[in-house]
mmCIF file of all heavy atoms in Angstrom:
data_model
loop_
_atom_site.group_PDB
_atom_site.id
_atom_site.type_symbol
_atom_site.label_atom_id
_atom_site.label_comp_id
_atom_site.label_asym_id
_atom_site.label_seq_id
_atom_site.Cartn_x
_atom_site.Cartn_y
_atom_site.Cartn_z
ATOM 1 N N GLN Q 233 33.283 -28.522 -43.414
ATOM 2 C CA GLN Q 233 33.961 -29.451 -44.324
ATOM 3 C C GLN Q 233 35.288 -29.872 -43.700
ATOM 4 O O GLN Q 233 36.020 -29.033 -43.169
ATOM 5 C CB GLN Q 233 34.213 -28.792 -45.680
ATOM 6 C CG GLN Q 233 32.943 -28.405 -46.415
ATOM 7 C CD GLN Q 233 33.217 -27.739 -47.751
ATOM 8 O OE1 GLN Q 233 34.338 -27.764 -48.253
ATOM 9 N NE2 GLN Q 233 32.191 -27.138 -48.339
ATOM 10 N N PHE Q 234 35.556 -31.178 -43.757
ATOM 11 C CA PHE Q 234 36.776 -31.711 -43.170
ATOM 12 C C PHE Q 234 37.536 -32.521 -44.224
ATOM 13 O O PHE Q 234 36.977 -33.443 -44.819
ATOM 14 C CB PHE Q 234 36.468 -32.621 -41.981
ATOM 15 C CG PHE Q 234 35.744 -31.935 -40.853
ATOM 16 C CD1 PHE Q 234 34.350 -31.911 -40.810
ATOM 17 C CD2 PHE Q 234 36.453 -31.336 -39.820
ATOM 18 C CE1 PHE Q 234 33.679 -31.297 -39.768
ATOM 19 C CE2 PHE Q 234 35.789 -30.714 -38.772
ATOM 20 C CZ PHE Q 234 34.406 -30.692 -38.744
ATOM 21 N N LYS Q 235 38.790 -32.186 -44.430
ATOM 22 C CA LYS Q 235 39.646 -32.955 -45.326
ATOM 23 C C LYS Q 235 40.072 -34.232 -44.610
ATOM 24 O O LYS Q 235 40.604 -34.200 -43.500
ATOM 25 C CB LYS Q 235 40.886 -32.137 -45.706
ATOM 26 C CG LYS Q 235 41.803 -32.813 -46.704
ATOM 27 C CD LYS Q 235 41.200 -32.873 -48.093
ATOM 28 C CE LYS Q 235 42.196 -33.424 -49.102
ATOM 29 N NZ LYS Q 235 41.618 -33.499 -50.466
ATOM 30 N N VAL Q 236 39.827 -35.374 -45.231
ATOM 31 C CA VAL Q 236 40.131 -36.666 -44.622
ATOM 32 C C VAL Q 236 41.536 -37.107 -45.026
ATOM 33 O O VAL Q 236 41.893 -37.035 -46.220
ATOM 34 C CB VAL Q 236 39.087 -37.717 -45.057
ATOM 35 C CG1 VAL Q 236 39.496 -39.120 -44.608
ATOM 36 C CG2 VAL Q 236 37.712 -37.347 -44.494
ATOM 37 N N PRO Q 237 42.367 -37.550 -44.078
ATOM 38 C CA PRO Q 237 43.721 -38.023 -44.413
ATOM 39 C C PRO Q 237 43.689 -39.112 -45.484
ATOM 40 O O PRO Q 237 42.745 -39.910 -45.552
ATOM 41 C CB PRO Q 237 44.235 -38.563 -43.081
ATOM 42 C CG PRO Q 237 43.487 -37.783 -42.052
ATOM 43 C CD PRO Q 237 42.115 -37.575 -42.631
ATOM 44 N N ASP Q 238 44.719 -39.151 -46.294
ATOM 45 C CA ASP Q 238 44.743 -40.045 -47.450
ATOM 46 C C ASP Q 238 44.533 -41.517 -47.084
ATOM 47 O O ASP Q 238 43.823 -42.237 -47.794
ATOM 48 C CB ASP Q 238 46.071 -39.892 -48.198
ATOM 49 C CG ASP Q 238 46.141 -38.589 -48.981
ATOM 50 O OD1 ASP Q 238 45.083 -37.959 -49.171
ATOM 51 O OD2 ASP Q 238 47.245 -38.208 -49.402
ATOM 52 N N PHE Q 239 45.153 -41.979 -45.988
ATOM 53 C CA PHE Q 239 45.040 -43.407 -45.686
ATOM 54 C C PHE Q 239 43.616 -43.787 -45.279
ATOM 55 O O PHE Q 239 43.159 -44.901 -45.550
ATOM 56 C CB PHE Q 239 46.060 -43.812 -44.600
ATOM 57 C CG PHE Q 239 45.670 -43.479 -43.195
ATOM 58 C CD1 PHE Q 239 45.119 -44.449 -42.366
ATOM 59 C CD2 PHE Q 239 45.867 -42.203 -42.684
ATOM 60 C CE1 PHE Q 239 44.766 -44.157 -41.060
ATOM 61 C CE2 PHE Q 239 45.535 -41.903 -41.385
ATOM 62 C CZ PHE Q 239 44.970 -42.883 -40.565
ATOM 63 N N ILE Q 240 42.891 -42.847 -44.654
ATOM 64 C CA ILE Q 240 41.481 -43.104 -44.336
ATOM 65 C C ILE Q 240 40.657 -43.014 -45.621
ATOM 66 O O ILE Q 240 39.739 -43.819 -45.846
ATOM 67 C CB ILE Q 240 40.943 -42.106 -43.294
ATOM 68 C CG1 ILE Q 240 41.787 -42.147 -42.024
ATOM 69 C CG2 ILE Q 240 39.480 -42.423 -42.959
ATOM 70 C CD1 ILE Q 240 41.371 -41.127 -40.973
ATOM 71 N N ALA Q 241 40.988 -42.044 -46.465
ATOM 72 C CA ALA Q 241 40.280 -41.868 -47.741
ATOM 73 C C ALA Q 241 40.370 -43.131 -48.591
ATOM 74 O O ALA Q 241 39.401 -43.514 -49.265
ATOM 75 C CB ALA Q 241 40.850 -40.675 -48.498
ATOM 76 N N GLU Q 242 41.508 -43.801 -48.536
ATOM 77 C CA GLU Q 242 41.675 -45.044 -49.302
ATOM 78 C C GLU Q 242 40.724 -46.130 -48.791
ATOM 79 O O GLU Q 242 40.144 -46.881 -49.595
ATOM 80 C CB GLU Q 242 43.126 -45.513 -49.211
ATOM 81 C CG GLU Q 242 44.099 -44.654 -49.997
ATOM 82 C CD GLU Q 242 45.534 -45.115 -49.842
ATOM 83 O OE1 GLU Q 242 45.737 -46.216 -49.270
ATOM 84 O OE2 GLU Q 242 46.440 -44.389 -50.275
ATOM 85 N N MET Q 243 40.577 -46.212 -47.471
ATOM 86 C CA MET Q 243 39.665 -47.212 -46.897
ATOM 87 C C MET Q 243 38.213 -46.897 -47.266
ATOM 88 O O MET Q 243 37.432 -47.798 -47.607
ATOM 89 C CB MET Q 243 39.839 -47.276 -45.377
ATOM 90 C CG MET Q 243 41.180 -47.825 -44.931
ATOM 91 S SD MET Q 243 41.281 -48.149 -43.139
ATOM 92 C CE MET Q 243 41.422 -46.480 -42.497
ATOM 93 N N ILE Q 244 37.866 -45.620 -47.214
ATOM 94 C CA ILE Q 244 36.499 -45.224 -47.572
ATOM 95 C C ILE Q 244 36.246 -45.490 -49.058
ATOM 96 O O ILE Q 244 35.161 -45.955 -49.441
ATOM 97 C CB ILE Q 244 36.260 -43.738 -47.243
ATOM 98 C CG1 ILE Q 244 36.426 -43.494 -45.736
ATOM 99 C CG2 ILE Q 244 34.858 -43.318 -47.691
ATOM 100 C CD1 ILE Q 244 36.356 -42.019 -45.353
ATOM 101 N N LYS Q 245 37.258 -45.210 -49.875
ATOM 102 C CA LYS Q 245 37.121 -45.456 -51.318
ATOM 103 C C LYS Q 245 36.898 -46.941 -51.599
ATOM 104 O O LYS Q 245 36.130 -47.312 -52.511
ATOM 105 C CB LYS Q 245 38.389 -44.981 -52.033
ATOM 106 C CG LYS Q 245 38.340 -45.103 -53.560
ATOM 107 C CD LYS Q 245 37.299 -44.199 -54.181
ATOM 108 C CE LYS Q 245 37.535 -43.951 -55.663
ATOM 109 N NZ LYS Q 245 37.695 -45.146 -56.478
ATOM 110 N N THR Q 246 37.519 -47.800 -50.809
ATOM 111 C CA THR Q 246 37.311 -49.244 -50.967
ATOM 112 C C THR Q 246 35.855 -49.599 -50.737
ATOM 113 O O THR Q 246 35.264 -50.377 -51.494
ATOM 114 C CB THR Q 246 38.196 -50.022 -49.969
ATOM 115 O OG1 THR Q 246 39.568 -49.775 -50.283
ATOM 116 C CG2 THR Q 246 37.925 -51.520 -50.052
ATOM 117 N N ARG Q 247 35.259 -49.024 -49.707
ATOM 118 C CA ARG Q 247 33.838 -49.276 -49.436
ATOM 119 C C ARG Q 247 32.969 -48.753 -50.582
ATOM 120 O O ARG Q 247 32.025 -49.404 -51.013
ATOM 121 C CB ARG Q 247 33.413 -48.633 -48.112
ATOM 122 C CG ARG Q 247 33.897 -49.397 -46.885
ATOM 123 C CD ARG Q 247 33.405 -48.761 -45.600
ATOM 124 N NE ARG Q 247 31.960 -48.791 -45.475
ATOM 125 C CZ ARG Q 247 31.250 -49.847 -45.091
ATOM 126 N NH1 ARG Q 247 31.858 -50.994 -44.826
ATOM 127 N NH2 ARG Q 247 29.942 -49.783 -44.976
ATOM 128 N N TYR Q 248 33.300 -47.564 -51.060
ATOM 129 C CA TYR Q 248 32.534 -46.975 -52.156
ATOM 130 C C TYR Q 248 32.620 -47.850 -53.407
ATOM 131 O O TYR Q 248 31.598 -48.137 -54.055
ATOM 132 C CB TYR Q 248 33.052 -45.568 -52.446
ATOM 133 C CG TYR Q 248 32.379 -44.891 -53.615
ATOM 134 C CD1 TYR Q 248 31.103 -44.350 -53.487
ATOM 135 C CD2 TYR Q 248 33.026 -44.780 -54.845
ATOM 136 C CE1 TYR Q 248 30.472 -43.725 -54.560
ATOM 137 C CE2 TYR Q 248 32.423 -44.152 -55.922
ATOM 138 C CZ TYR Q 248 31.138 -43.627 -55.766
ATOM 139 O OH TYR Q 248 30.524 -43.013 -56.837
ATOM 140 N N ASP Q 249 33.822 -48.286 -53.746
ATOM 141 C CA ASP Q 249 34.023 -49.130 -54.927
ATOM 142 C C ASP Q 249 33.341 -50.483 -54.780
ATOM 143 O O ASP Q 249 32.945 -51.102 -55.780
ATOM 144 C CB ASP Q 249 35.522 -49.339 -55.179
ATOM 145 C CG ASP Q 249 36.221 -48.074 -55.658
ATOM 146 O OD1 ASP Q 249 35.514 -47.155 -56.122
ATOM 147 O OD2 ASP Q 249 37.463 -48.008 -55.552
ATOM 148 N N ASP Q 250 33.191 -50.934 -53.541
ATOM 149 C CA ASP Q 250 32.520 -52.209 -53.286
ATOM 150 C C ASP Q 250 30.995 -52.081 -53.300
ATOM 151 O O ASP Q 250 30.280 -53.077 -53.129
ATOM 152 C CB ASP Q 250 32.961 -52.777 -51.931
ATOM 153 C CG ASP Q 250 34.353 -53.390 -52.003
ATOM 154 O OD1 ASP Q 250 34.831 -53.632 -53.131
ATOM 155 O OD2 ASP Q 250 34.950 -53.631 -50.935
ATOM 156 N N GLY Q 251 30.506 -50.852 -53.483
ATOM 157 C CA GLY Q 251 29.069 -50.658 -53.630
ATOM 158 C C GLY Q 251 28.326 -50.230 -52.389
ATOM 159 O O GLY Q 251 27.083 -50.251 -52.355
ATOM 160 N N PHE Q 252 29.040 -49.822 -51.335
ATOM 161 C CA PHE Q 252 28.357 -49.383 -50.119
ATOM 162 C C PHE Q 252 27.761 -47.994 -50.315
ATOM 163 O O PHE Q 252 28.387 -47.107 -50.914
ATOM 164 C CB PHE Q 252 29.327 -49.373 -48.933
ATOM 165 C CG PHE Q 252 29.611 -50.738 -48.383
ATOM 166 C CD1 PHE Q 252 30.631 -51.518 -48.917
ATOM 167 C CD2 PHE Q 252 28.841 -51.259 -47.349
ATOM 168 C CE1 PHE Q 252 30.893 -52.781 -48.426
ATOM 169 C CE2 PHE Q 252 29.106 -52.510 -46.840
ATOM 170 C CZ PHE Q 252 30.127 -53.287 -47.376
ATOM 171 N N LYS Q 253 26.566 -47.802 -49.775
ATOM 172 C CA LYS Q 253 25.863 -46.528 -49.898
ATOM 173 C C LYS Q 253 26.325 -45.534 -48.838
ATOM 174 O O LYS Q 253 26.418 -44.336 -49.103
ATOM 175 C CB LYS Q 253 24.347 -46.761 -49.767
ATOM 176 C CG LYS Q 253 23.491 -45.511 -49.886
ATOM 177 C CD LYS Q 253 22.009 -45.867 -49.778
ATOM 178 C CE LYS Q 253 21.134 -44.632 -49.888
ATOM 179 N NZ LYS Q 253 19.690 -44.973 -49.791
ATOM 180 N N TYR Q 254 26.599 -46.042 -47.631
ATOM 181 C CA TYR Q 254 27.002 -45.185 -46.523
ATOM 182 C C TYR Q 254 28.404 -45.532 -46.040
ATOM 183 O O TYR Q 254 28.867 -46.667 -46.194
ATOM 184 C CB TYR Q 254 26.022 -45.317 -45.353
ATOM 185 C CG TYR Q 254 24.633 -44.814 -45.667
ATOM 186 C CD1 TYR Q 254 23.595 -45.689 -45.953
ATOM 187 C CD2 TYR Q 254 24.354 -43.444 -45.674
ATOM 188 C CE1 TYR Q 254 22.323 -45.225 -46.243
ATOM 189 C CE2 TYR Q 254 23.091 -42.975 -45.958
ATOM 190 C CZ TYR Q 254 22.073 -43.869 -46.241
ATOM 191 O OH TYR Q 254 20.820 -43.407 -46.520
ATOM 192 N N MET Q 255 29.060 -44.565 -45.446
ATOM 193 C CA MET Q 255 30.430 -44.759 -44.985
ATOM 194 C C MET Q 255 30.517 -45.829 -43.898
ATOM 195 O O MET Q 255 31.420 -46.656 -43.888
ATOM 196 C CB MET Q 255 30.985 -43.427 -44.457
ATOM 197 C CG MET Q 255 32.468 -43.437 -44.199
ATOM 198 S SD MET Q 255 33.137 -41.754 -44.138
ATOM 199 C CE MET Q 255 32.293 -41.094 -42.695
ATOM 200 N N ILE Q 256 29.561 -45.807 -42.954
ATOM 201 C CA ILE Q 256 29.485 -46.822 -41.898
ATOM 202 C C ILE Q 256 28.111 -47.471 -42.011
ATOM 203 O O ILE Q 256 27.095 -46.819 -41.784
ATOM 204 C CB ILE Q 256 29.651 -46.200 -40.497
ATOM 205 C CG1 ILE Q 256 30.949 -45.377 -40.406
ATOM 206 C CG2 ILE Q 256 29.609 -47.281 -39.426
ATOM 207 C CD1 ILE Q 256 32.222 -46.181 -40.566
ATOM 208 N N SER Q 257 28.075 -48.747 -42.377
ATOM 209 C CA SER Q 257 26.780 -49.409 -42.556
ATOM 210 C C SER Q 257 26.930 -50.919 -42.512
ATOM 211 O O SER Q 257 28.041 -51.450 -42.567
ATOM 212 C CB SER Q 257 26.136 -48.978 -43.878
ATOM 213 O OG SER Q 257 26.973 -49.300 -44.968
#
Side-chain angles (χ1 to χ4, degrees):
Q233 297 179 13
F234 299 90
K235 184 71 174 180
V236 171
D238 286 345
F239 79 99
I240 303 176
E242 288 178 10
M243 293 189 285
I244 299 174
K245 184 65 161 53
T246 296
R247 284 182 64 80
Y248 177 77
D249 290 342
D250 284 345
F252 283 87
K253 180 179 180 180
Y254 295 102
M255 191 160 64
I256 306 296
S257 59

